[in-house]
Amino acid sequence: MTGQMKNWEVVIGLETHAQLSTSSKIFSGASTAFGAAPNSHASAVDLALPGVLPVANRAAVDKAIRFGLAVNGNVADNINRRSVFARKNYFYPDLPKGYQISQLDLPIVKGGSITIITSSGEKTVRLTRAHLEEDAGKSLHEDFHGMSGIDLNRAGTPLLEIVSEPDMCSSEEAVAYAKALHGLVRWIDICDGNMQEGSFRCDANVSVRRPGDPLGTRREIKNLNSFRFLQQAIDYEVRWQIETLEDGGRIQQATVLFDPDTGETRSMRSKEDAHDYRYFPDPDLLPLCVGEDWIGAASKQLAEVGTPGMRKELYVAQFGLTDYDAALLTQSRETAAYFDVVVGAVGAASVKLCANWVTGELAGALNRAGLDIAQSPLPAARLAALVTRVVDGTLSSKLAKEVFEAAWNGEGEPDAIIEKRGLKQISDGGEIEKLVDDVLAGNAKQVEDYRAGKDKAFNSLVGQVMKASRGKANPAQVNEILKKKLGG
Amino acid sequence: MFNSSLKELTAALAARKISSVELTGLFLDRVEKRNGDLNAFITVDRERSLMQARAADSLIASGKAQPLTGIPVAHKDIFCAQGWLTTCGSKMLSNFVSPYDAHVISRFNDAGAVILGKTNMDEFAMGSSNETSFYGPVKNPWDRTRVPGGSSGGSAAAVAARMAPVATATDTGGSIRQPAALTGLTGLKPTYGLVSRYGMIAFASSLDQGGVLSRSAEDAAAVLNVMAGFDARDSTSIERPAEDYARDLDAPLAGLRIGVVKEHFGDGLAAGVGAAVQAALEQFRKLGATLIDISTPNSGLAVPAYYVIAPAEASSNLSRFDGVRYGYRAPEYRDLADLYSKTRAQGFGAEVKRRILIGAYVLSHGYYDAYYLKAQKIRRLIANDFAQAFTQCDVVVGPTSPTVAFPLGAKASDPVQMYLNDIYTIPANLAGLPGMSVPCGFADDGNGGSLPVGLHMVGNYFAEAKMLNVAHQYQRATDWHLRKPEGI
Amino acid sequence: MSLSVDEVKKIAHLARIEISEAEALATRQQLNDIFALIGQMQAVNTEGIEPMSHAQDLMLRLRDDVVTEQDQHALFQSIAPQVEGGLYLVPRVIE
């Protein structure tokens, strides 16, 4: 954070669109499969042919309920038993009806929260609401004789729009929130989370203010479909807003797009019109009523599937892990599953070590490579084999890192690497004693210094022994034997 | 043959006195002869109709005939029929050949009925005189200088002129019942949700309901037996066991309690119309019914509330007509916004545009509560009035329309006067109740002639069989429904 | 209440209907007549009345999550004003 920014507070709220992973669309029986030939999944209803009508998909509602329970500790007081589909009216070629079916006054989910972790610790981000709506189609801007092409395959795909309170105050927190949400929706199996395909995308509402001032005017950055873009876009937007205000300018409420090529945000021309969406309850769709039996079943199902939060609590209670470590290990279902395999193989007695390897070395390597844990070149069983060798004393932590590197690079099983590279730690007392004897014989001066009370000389001798062993001698044993010989 | 009831036609077909091909051909000849004058049909397609008639004949030959098999039925051009031009009376859909069948059309097809043609109507069903059709006004067979009523004026004229044995129609504020009254027919608008709206081009979704224009209550019952039925593709379609709407036709009326709304006999009701309705009430008394004075204090607010709710829904429903996926597209435009606004300015007629503007306005920011929400509350009050009335009586009876058919052009330039035509019919749509109009005499047309008068009846939810019984008993005692226009 | 010509133009724009100055003027008069009729609603007190947005007091029926629709884009696009490569064409969309 620059010095200039110190005098400003940043306020961020996120609106996230998660595509619900149903087979058919929210209001039609057309397939939601991604990547089909243009308009081959656009049914009469999706095309808004004259006379067609929407019929709502039970699975989309079920997933929305599951989400609501998951962000509220599996307590159903944030599920509206009666919610209402409304029409949001505007003209756009990817919106065939000229209105989007959404929810306004009575969304299916109200409230709840998401816990995030950042470098400064844990934080709770409150959710305002989550509502069901349909996705729009896509405008393709390749040149069709100066025209755009409209593909309505995506039109009608179910979305859960998850709206947070403006509880975040940095791009780091916004990204942590988005990641936590991403992990959650995938964990509870309501969204595939595929950001490249647009299954999970964020709009960020950003404003800045002087501490103590009322909220500043916000600008909304639309359609951020990667965590990196989310961070870059917010960082740029915050800098831009602060500079604008410090130059005496004013912020106008606007909808902006982030351009990944320039790293800048710009106003959307199509949104310049002041919008008046003329929302009203959709007369084609009666109130959506959710009974207690349905909620009970959804709650039971959620208890089986679990949530990152539930798993985190388990890790803390069962393994005595810190909140921070447990939170890191439950960022995604895959991370937790990976960790479970490692702990299962290494043993619960070494759970801390396992956690450190997963959240430290492995997470760092994945991050550098830009990979998800599911794409890790190092499967959990191999990391477990490596950690086992640390536990049984075969590897020093330094050597373990070398083995990790090799295993990451595809050199095979850790034991084979240890064997091949001769990295096994020397823990044989006789062998170490021989090395110590050689060093003592060749360093009479240091021995003398040590005996004269210079402690530093001891460290130097340890270093000499380790060097002689090419790093493989067990440091604890070296210490012990050296002390014995010098003292003797 | 042209004056035969459906029962008689079915018997003739079953006895092989006539084939469906012959019967359909006779009616098609008649349409050909009279349509130039009356303009009741927008589309006839002899080959397509005869193909269905041939299929019907083989069904009859193989003993698989159902009621209505082989009977030619005219359909309001609001019902999508696959392969048929389906215009909804608008330039906007003047090139729209429907790629699918409305549920109603499927029901008739499944019954082996023959599509005789598509009838003229007010554009998008917005009108009470059939003068807003892109295809020109329909003329009243009783007096060709006068309107047949609307919006189902084409269906009414077709049946009144014996160009079709029976026709389908739709009713949003009186569009079945008012034309029935003005052309001396029996018109039935069922309970909202009884007939599927799937494939019935939407005007005001929470008010629209498909129904029948026929020459007798007995015919209407036979047609409703085919039309009505649950449809999973319409979320407002009501799931209930199938019933035979003809089951109670012959029940005596002794003990029937008829509610007479005193508010419906006040200012604005033409004297001759009032007298005919009073005479009908006397007839019911003779049939053993009891007349009970009731009050529906809020019915005076029905027209104002309707002209908020219906345009609001219509403005949204008609947004899909944008020149992108089907229908009319303006030949010249500068850009996307221009394509929209020119297509819609050229594709819609004046009345449709007027209602879209009213609708957009009442839903717009700052006006929603004062107009839309207020209208919805009044709608509730009106429904409550009826609920109260039905604790005292079985049906509510009064005039269908305040006047007999008025001259073409008489009200075309004064929307408010036109809207007041539906003052007696609109409350049933707001409440979702079934309504019916039955010929009950003639009244002075102010020009030396006399024209048909309709008796309006509203029943409780799902009381269609009861209403048809009441109408049938009345028609057994009177012959108003057997009168036909001169020269027909 | 009374609409101004500018308001008429504004709602015509909201509804994407091109309107000339003369049309806006004529429309304004008609709309004001209609709003005089609509205005009668204000005479009745509706405090505490539940708004009624549907003709039935029923709840939404839901369908099972099953793909029932086949690819019919050739049929559907046979009635489209302008298509290419399976896409509907419109004047360039600017975001």
Side-chain angles (χ1 to χ4, degrees), chain A residues 64-69 71 78-80 83 103 106-112 127-132 160-161:
Chain A
I65 294 170
R66 195 184 307 168
F67 175 81
L69 293 169
V71 295
N78 66 333
I79 309 291
N80 272 321
S83 66
Q103 298 189 303
L106 285 170
I108 179 124
V109 176
K110 51 175 198 286
L127 299 183
T128 315
R129 57 187 280 154
H131 65 255
L132 285 161
L160 189 67
E161 179 173 337

Side-chain angles (χ1 to χ4, degrees), chain A residues 22-31 38-40 42-44 47 49 55-59 85 91-93 140-141 143-151 266 269-270 273 276 278 282-283 285-287 289 294, chain C residues 10-17 50-77 79 82-95:
Chain A
T22 56
S23 307
S24 65
K25 294 185 177 176
I26 185 167
F27 298 118
S28 86
S31 167
N39 290 305
S40 60
S43 69
L47 289 171
L49 290 184
V55 183
N57 184 338
R58 183 181 292 107
F85 285 111
F91 287 88
Y92 209 67
L140 305 171
H141 306 300
D143 195 20
F144 298 98
H145 334 289
M147 303 187 88
S148 291
I150 307 296
D151 177 7
R266 64 169 172 85
R269 285 173 63 183
S270 58
D273 278 343
D276 187 338
R278 288 158 287 142
D282 193 326
L285 294 163
L286 297 160
C289 297
W294 189 352
Chain C
K10 200 184 124 208
I11 54 174
H13 175 67
L14 261 185
R16 296 296 184 274
I17 294 175
E50 177 74 11
M52 178 172 168
S53 34
H54 297 93
Q56 324 152 310
D57 273 326
L58 296 174
M59 56 192 198
L60 189 62
R61 177 164 33 79
L62 299 163
R63 44 168 258 278
D64 291 337
D65 181 25
V66 177
V67 175
T68 53
E69 299 300 312
Q70 308 304 315
D71 176 9
Q72 295 193 75
H73 81 276
L75 172 65
F76 293 150
Q77 295 192 347
I79 50 168
Q82 201 178 356
V83 286
E84 193 177 304
L87 298 164
Y88 293 94
L89 294 194
V90 296
R92 185 160 287 247
V93 176
I94 300 160
E95 285 191 323

Side-chain angles (χ1 to χ4, degrees), chain A residues 90-264:
Chain A
Y90 65 97
F91 287 88
Y92 209 67
D94 65 15
L95 187 72
K97 294 187 295 296
Y99 58 83
Q100 180 194 31
I101 304 177
S102 181
Q103 298 189 303
L104 181 71
D105 289 334
L106 285 170
I108 179 124
V109 176
K110 51 175 198 286
S113 65
I114 296 280
T115 303
I116 62 170
I117 38 163
T118 63
S119 51
S120 44
E122 269 197 355
K123 177 170 178 172
T124 296
V125 175
R126 294 166 301 157
L127 299 183
T128 315
R129 57 187 280 154
H131 65 255
L132 285 161
E133 62 182 29
E134 55 179 342
D135 209 344
K138 280 182 182 160
S139 306
L140 305 171
H141 306 300
E142 294 99 69
D143 195 20
F144 298 98
H145 334 289
M147 303 187 88
S148 291
I150 307 296
D151 177 7
L152 297 171
N153 279 347
R154 198 181 66 180
T157 301
L159 296 178
L160 189 67
E161 179 173 337
I162 304 152
V163 182
S164 84
E165 291 288 307
D167 282 353
M168 289 154 278
C169 56
S170 67
S171 62
E172 189 199 358
E173 287 188 359
V175 169
Y177 165 80
K179 281 187 173 167
L181 196 57
H182 186 254
L184 171 65
V185 296
R186 293 177 67 232
W187 190 298
I188 63 174
D189 196 24
I190 63 167
C191 170
D192 68 19
N194 190 325
M195 297 179 81
Q196 271 98 50
E197 292 176 4
S199 300
F200 186 90
R201 45 192 206 264
C202 299
D203 302 340
N205 285 298
V206 179
S207 67
V208 299
R209 64 172 167 187
R210 298 277 187 193
D213 281 1
L215 280 178
T217 306
R218 66 191 166 88
R219 304 215 309 165
E220 182 180 13
I221 316 167
K222 280 283 195 200
N223 267 331
L224 297 160
N225 65 354
S226 87
F227 298 127
R228 198 157 50 90
F229 292 165
L230 177 62
Q231 177 177 341
Q232 289 174 352
I234 292 173
D235 285 344
Y236 176 86
E237 181 65 23
V238 166
R239 265 198 313 277
W240 182 87
Q241 289 191 16
I242 290 174
E243 279 167 20
T244 301
L245 291 169
E246 292 198 333
D247 290 349
R250 286 182 55 194
I251 306 295
Q252 304 254 312
Q253 192 161 336
T255 305
V256 302
L257 282 179
F258 176 67
D259 182 343
D261 295 331
T262 63
E264 298 179 356

Side-chain angles (χ1 to χ4, degrees), chain A residues 47-55 87 89 91-93 96-99 152 276 278-281 283-286, chain B residues 80 96 99-100 197-199 201 205 232-235 316-317 319-320 325-326 336 340 344 360 363-365 368 372:
Chain A
L47 289 171
L49 290 184
V52 298
L53 296 168
V55 183
R87 294 183 181 180
N89 294 284
F91 287 88
Y92 209 67
K97 294 187 295 296
Y99 58 83
L152 297 171
D276 187 338
R278 288 158 287 142
Y279 278 99
F280 72 107
D284 288 330
L285 294 163
L286 297 160
Chain B
C80 288
F96 179 71
Y100 79 104
R197 294 185 296 114
Y198 190 81
I201 299 174
S205 313
R233 295 168 302 178
D234 173 359
S235 298
S316 176
N317 283 334
S319 291
R320 68 189 59 200
R325 297 166 312 286
Y326 49 78
L336 183 63
Y340 284 151
R344 292 167 60 79
L363 290 175
S364 65
H365 189 70
Y368 181 87
Y372 186 73

Side-chain angles (χ1 to χ4, degrees), chain A residues 464-485:
Chain A
Q464 296 280 350
V465 176
M466 291 308 289
K467 197 176 166 194
S469 75
R470 286 184 294 140
K472 290 187 286 183
N474 182 324
Q477 277 178 297
V478 172
N479 266 297
E480 196 187 322
I481 292 170
L482 200 55
K483 263 197 185 127
K484 200 176 73 194
K485 299 241 171 203

Side-chain angles (χ1 to χ4, degrees), chain B residues 24-75:
Chain B
T24 303
L26 282 174
F27 276 102
L28 283 169
D29 291 345
R30 194 134 163 133
V31 171
E32 206 163 279
K33 203 169 105 200
R34 296 208 165 132
N35 200 46
D37 184 17
L38 296 173
N39 199 25
F41 284 81
I42 292 172
T43 304
V44 282
D45 184 338
R46 183 174 284 268
E47 263 327 295
R48 210 170 261 277
S49 299
L50 289 176
M51 205 164 69
Q52 273 191 310
R54 279 190 289 274
D57 281 330
S58 27
L59 275 178
I60 295 167
S62 62
K64 289 179 191 151
Q66 302 169 56
L68 297 202
T69 299
I71 304 284
V73 178
H75 293 288

Side-chain angles (χ1 to χ4, degrees), chain B residues 91-386:
Chain B
K91 180 179 180 181
M92 190 59 94
L93 290 177
S94 53
N95 59 0
F96 179 71
V97 176
S98 178
Y100 79 104
D101 280 329
H103 184 253
V104 162
I105 297 290
S106 301
R107 301 276 301 193
F108 281 102
N109 287 345
D110 292 349
V114 174
I115 300 177
L116 184 63
K118 305 295 291 291
T119 62
N120 204 346
M121 56 182 284
D122 277 304
E123 185 180 7
F124 286 105
M126 297 179 195
S128 307
S129 68
N130 223 300
E131 292 168 293
T132 73
S133 170
F134 174 64
Y135 294 91
V138 177
K139 290 170 191 149
N140 191 323
W142 294 87
D143 178 348
R144 282 153 177 75
T145 69
R146 292 184 184 244
V147 304
S151 65
S152 312
S155 287
V159 179
R162 277 44 173 181
M163 294 154 85
V166 70
T168 60
T170 61
D171 189 315
T172 305
S175 283
I176 291 175
R177 292 160 288 159
Q178 184 251 19
L182 271 46
T183 59
L185 296 179
T186 301
L188 171 63
K189 175 204 97 76
T191 303
Y192 182 89
L194 211 61
V195 171
S196 169
R197 294 185 296 114
Y198 190 81
M200 193 177 104
I201 299 174
F203 159 18
S205 313
S206 79
L207 303 165
D208 296 342
Q209 183 59 198
V212 197
L213 278 161
S214 63
R215 294 201 313 271
S216 70
E218 190 185 31
D219 283 1
V223 173
L224 189 62
N225 276 342
V226 170
M227 271 184 106
F230 173 67
D231 178 12
R233 295 168 302 178
D234 173 359
S235 298
T236 60
S237 174
I238 291 170
E239 225 167 340
R240 62 198 314 272
E243 55 179 299
D244 174 10
Y245 295 101
R247 67 181 186 272
D248 292 333
L249 287 179
D250 294 326
L253 297 190
L256 178 77
R257 297 168 304 161
I258 292 181
V260 181
V261 182
K262 57 175 185 288
E263 287 90 351
H264 286 183
F265 292 87
D267 286 350
L269 180 65
V273 173
V277 172
Q278 290 295 354
L281 293 175
E282 190 49 41
Q283 181 67 53
F284 278 117
R285 211 200 308 262
K286 281 188 203 151
L287 289 168
T290 316
L291 302 183
I292 299 163
D293 279 338
I294 58 158
S295 176
T296 54
N298 296 293
S299 62
L301 296 169
V303 173
Y306 175 87
Y307 278 95
V308 170
I309 293 167
E313 293 183 12
S315 70
S316 176
N317 283 334
L318 270 58
S319 291
R320 68 189 59 200
F321 303 106
D322 59 5
V324 174
R325 297 166 312 286
Y326 49 78
Y328 178 78
R329 174 185 276 204
E332 285 173 26
Y333 42 85
R334 289 188 307 278
D335 53 25
L336 183 63
D338 203 41
L339 165 70
Y340 284 151
S341 60
K342 283 203 163 66
T343 294
R344 292 167 60 79
Q346 295 163 17
F348 292 136
E351 180 63 21
V352 170
K353 285 191 257 192
R354 198 148 46 228
R355 297 208 196 180
I356 290 174
L357 295 184
I358 298 169
Y361 187 74
V362 297
L363 290 175
S364 65
H365 189 70
Y367 298 100
Y368 181 87
D369 286 6
Y371 290 112
Y372 186 73
L373 212 57
K374 181 87 181 175
Q376 286 204 324
K377 291 177 176 181
I378 288 173
R379 182 177 188 178
R380 173 83 57 194
L381 291 177
I382 289 166
N384 290 348
D385 281 355
F386 277 113

